[in-house]
Amino acid sequence: MLRTTFCEALGVEHPIVQAGMGPFGSGCELAAAVSNAGALGSLGGSARSPEDLRQQLAVLRTLTERPFAVNFTQPWLQQHPESFDIALEMHAPVVSLALGDPGDLPARAHEAGALFIQQVHTVEQALLVAERGVDVIIAQGTEAGGFGGEVSTVALVPQVVDAVGPVPVLAAGGIADGRGLAAALVLGAQGVNLGTRFLASEEAAISDEWKRAILAAGSQDTVKVDVWDDIFGKPGGGAFDVVPRALETPFIEQWQGHRSDAAIDASRLQGEIMSAIQQQNMERFVPFTGQSAGLIGDILPARDIVRRLIVQATEALESTSRLYS
């Protein structure tokens, strides 16, 4: 068994977090399955109505008695602060945040008895959120799916570890198997945060078409979708400067090459993407997927993904130890 300070702080068996991948990927079934396997499952809380968020949390409580997180993005909470209130009112054990300055949210979570996890993409962001009093920091490299920065995981993680210690740091980006978990621990992280690997799970609430596309993809088939900023604009109010990584689609290919036209037609394109999120067919538009897709060759139950990660990581660390014994 691999246990780190992250495990002790969060009350979980394994140093693995399933990323909060929004409403299209991370529902209560996936979060519960990961938590029941001894890791930390996450419910994607952004882009959900208050009623849907309450319902998902209520169902999640019936599916697991173990710790779980509710994940939000900072731009979403800027527009919908009631979502954070709902998570605290319903006694979420952990709240996690991505894409911006958390402000006083960690203090509010602590007052409600919850722990707070924050994702960052640079050392400067890590120092900022450490000052805000977060309990755990996710250092996410550019390889990750969804919204991210430009620094690679291998370069970013040890820098963040050095900058914010003793705050536990999790590695994210480009990790899909136990070798990646072992590498993260060697870099000084206390665990990993995985998104794409859990998208390719039986419980993930995305289409079979998207899952099959992940299995078929190589790492080079994921691209940074810079045109996103032309369609949605850059958020302000302390939001981090990030753009999504996704599997390339005809939609992305068309508009990446015509960014000025996308800006002119932004209102319509926003509507198409938001409708795709609600109708769960994002695979036709911007299917968030990381470079770790090249490592994924099967769709498994979430519990089997967790177990495989631990077995592979243990084997990798034991194999490495023989190099110097």
Side-chain angles (χ1 to χ4, degrees):
M1 180 179 294
L2 297 176
R3 290 192 64 82
T4 68
T5 56
F6 168 79
C7 300
E8 301 300 329
L10 275 292
V12 296
E13 297 174 25
H14 307 306
I16 298 167
V17 177
Q18 165 247 317
M21 300 171 285
F24 41 80
S26 184
C28 57
E29 291 84 3
L30 176 58
V34 173
S35 289
N36 286 334
L40 186 72
S42 300
L43 174 69
S46 295
R48 293 190 187 274
S49 68
E51 296 77 16
D52 184 31
L53 181 57
R54 288 185 185 277
Q55 181 180 16
Q56 288 281 323
L57 282 167
V59 174
L60 182 52
R61 283 289 190 186
T62 70
L63 297 176
T64 185
E65 296 180 351
R66 299 192 178 190
F68 62 85
V70 182
N71 175 259
F72 297 106
T73 65
Q74 188 261 14
W76 175 261
L77 291 185
Q78 287 284 313
Q79 299 181 37
H80 304 277
E82 69 278 3
S83 294
F84 190 78
D85 297 333
I86 290 170
L88 298 185
E89 289 169 6
M90 298 193 70
H91 306 291
V94 182
V95 179
S96 61
L97 186 73
L99 311 190
D101 184 349
D104 67 349
L105 297 181
R108 291 178 55 195
H110 294 156
E111 290 175 1
L115 297 176
F116 196 95
I117 299 176
Q118 173 78 39
Q119 182 168 283
V120 302
H121 318 279
T122 68
V123 174
E124 291 75 16
Q125 292 169 5
L127 290 169
L128 169 67
V129 304
E131 292 179 358
R132 302 295 195 218
V134 304
D135 299 290
V136 178
I137 293 175
I138 299 169
Q140 186 211 52
T142 191
E143 301 94 326
F147 291 89
E150 299 297 332
V151 184
S152 74
T153 302
V154 171
L156 180 63
V157 170
Q159 292 183 71
V160 172
V161 169
D162 290 346
V164 303
V167 179
V169 174
L170 305 179
I175 302 169
D177 61 20
R179 294 171 297 177
L181 170 54
L185 296 176
V186 172
L187 290 173
Q190 298 298 308
V192 292
N193 181 71
L194 305 183
T196 302
R197 173 62 270 197
F198 284 112
L199 281 180
S201 69
E202 292 183 357
E203 296 88 350
I206 62 172
S207 69
D208 289 341
E209 181 182 351
W210 189 344
K211 293 179 185 182
R212 288 194 298 269
I214 292 173
L215 300 190
S219 295
Q220 71 278 6
D221 296 318
T222 72
V223 296
K224 280 288 195 179
V225 188
D226 298 302
V227 71
W228 187 276
D229 281 347
D230 302 294
I231 297 172
F232 286 94
K234 285 186 176 295
F240 297 154
D241 186 11
V242 291
V243 294
R245 179 182 294 280
L247 288 172
E248 191 160 25
T249 62
F251 177 88
I252 293 172
E253 185 176 8
Q254 174 185 356
W255 294 108
Q256 286 277 79
H258 299 87
R259 292 181 59 181
S260 59
D261 292 337
I264 295 170
D265 207 11
S267 179
R268 181 180 66 83
L269 296 178
Q270 285 180 28
E272 289 185 1
I273 292 173
M274 295 308 296
S275 177
I277 292 174
Q278 297 300 323
Q279 297 176 17
Q280 296 188 331
N281 62 352
M282 271 287 275
E283 68 276 2
R284 301 178 184 179
F285 293 88
V286 187
F288 297 161
T289 304
Q291 290 181 339
S292 63
L295 291 164
I296 299 170
D298 49 19
I299 298 169
L300 297 172
R303 66 176 182 276
D304 292 345
I305 293 173
V306 173
R307 291 170 182 169
R308 182 188 285 182
L309 284 162
I310 296 301
V311 169
Q312 290 176 336
T314 301
E315 291 174 348
L317 292 170
E318 290 175 347
S319 176
T320 302
S321 70
R322 290 194 289 272
L323 296 176
Y324 61 85
S325 62

